[in-house]
Amino acid sequence: MNELSLFNDLFDGFGDDGFLMPSFKYKKVFAPKVDVKEDKDAYTMDMDLPGKTEKDINIEFKNNVLTISSETKSEKEEKKEEKAEAKEAPKYLIKERSYTKFSRNFSLPDDVESDGITAKVENGVLHIVMPRKAIAAPRRIAITAA
């Protein structure tokens, strides 16, 4: 990526509506940060998910790919009525909605014991332990003379 590629989004929208003004696109991307550790017995993953509970998180393991995803919708609603004297007076309504969705995929090594993977959420941190399979020691194969 070079310095000029930073300006591509600025000029993408020239002339779209017949105007020679750039269109500004706002994208909010939520990708939680992850720490992965390895030791002789297991791989350990910690993912920051503030405000999430175990009900908000989905974890799947298929074809050596660990997928962690979440989708959360929340709404805040405030109502304010005009004077009570006017029966047909319009109501003032404010709704603020937020929606977060993410999905992260991790290709895991072949030595992960998939049946032993465990996960827990504590204080906004998802903690996943992926135990390693015991690797068979190399053995010497005897050669017989023909």
Side-chain angles (χ1 to χ4, degrees), residues 19-35:
F19 298 104
L20 294 177
M21 293 294 293
S23 65
F24 295 95
K25 300 172 187 173
Y26 177 74
K27 295 178 185 177
K28 184 177 179 181
V29 177
F30 176 69
K33 304 297 182 197
V34 177
D35 295 330

Side-chain angles (χ1 to χ4, degrees), residues 30 32-35 45-54 56-57 68 70 102 120-128:
F30 176 69
K33 304 297 182 197
V34 177
D35 295 330
M45 179 183 295
D46 292 321
M47 178 180 282
D48 291 335
L49 296 172
K52 304 279 186 193
T53 65
E54 65 277 357
D56 300 326
I57 304 165
I68 304 169
S70 177
F102 78 88
K120 69 177 180 176
V121 178
E122 187 175 358
N123 297 327
V125 177
L126 174 64
H127 182 74
I128 300 173

Side-chain angles (χ1 to χ4, degrees), residues 59-77:
I59 302 172
E60 295 178 2
F61 183 77
K62 183 179 180 182
N63 298 329
N64 275 13
V65 175
L66 184 73
T67 302
I68 304 169
S69 61
S70 177
E71 184 173 353
T72 306
K73 297 177 185 179
S74 66
E75 292 189 14
K76 178 183 174 184
E77 187 174 308

Side-chain angles (χ1 to χ4, degrees), residues 34-121:
V34 177
D35 295 330
V36 180
K37 295 180 273 184
E38 173 188 12
D39 63 29
K40 66 178 184 164
D41 298 324
Y43 299 96
T44 306
M45 179 183 295
D46 292 321
M47 178 180 282
D48 291 335
L49 296 172
K52 304 279 186 193
T53 65
E54 65 277 357
K55 296 174 186 174
D56 300 326
I57 304 165
N58 184 38
I59 302 172
E60 295 178 2
F61 183 77
K62 183 179 180 182
N63 298 329
N64 275 13
V65 175
L66 184 73
T67 302
I68 304 169
S69 61
S70 177
E71 184 173 353
T72 306
K73 297 177 185 179
S74 66
E75 292 189 14
K76 178 183 174 184
E77 187 174 308
E78 296 178 19
K79 294 182 181 179
K80 180 180 176 183
E81 288 191 35
E82 296 291 327
K83 294 180 183 178
E85 300 164 3
K87 293 181 181 180
E88 303 265 339
K91 293 180 182 179
Y92 182 67
L93 176 66
I94 296 175
K95 260 189 173 177
E96 295 180 351
R97 295 178 277 170
S98 69
Y99 176 79
T100 58
K101 179 179 180 179
F102 78 88
S103 181
R104 296 214 42 197
N105 299 316
F106 300 92
S107 296
L108 301 181
D110 292 331
D111 67 339
V112 170
E113 180 65 50
S114 62
D115 293 335
I117 297 175
T118 60
K120 69 177 180 176
V121 178

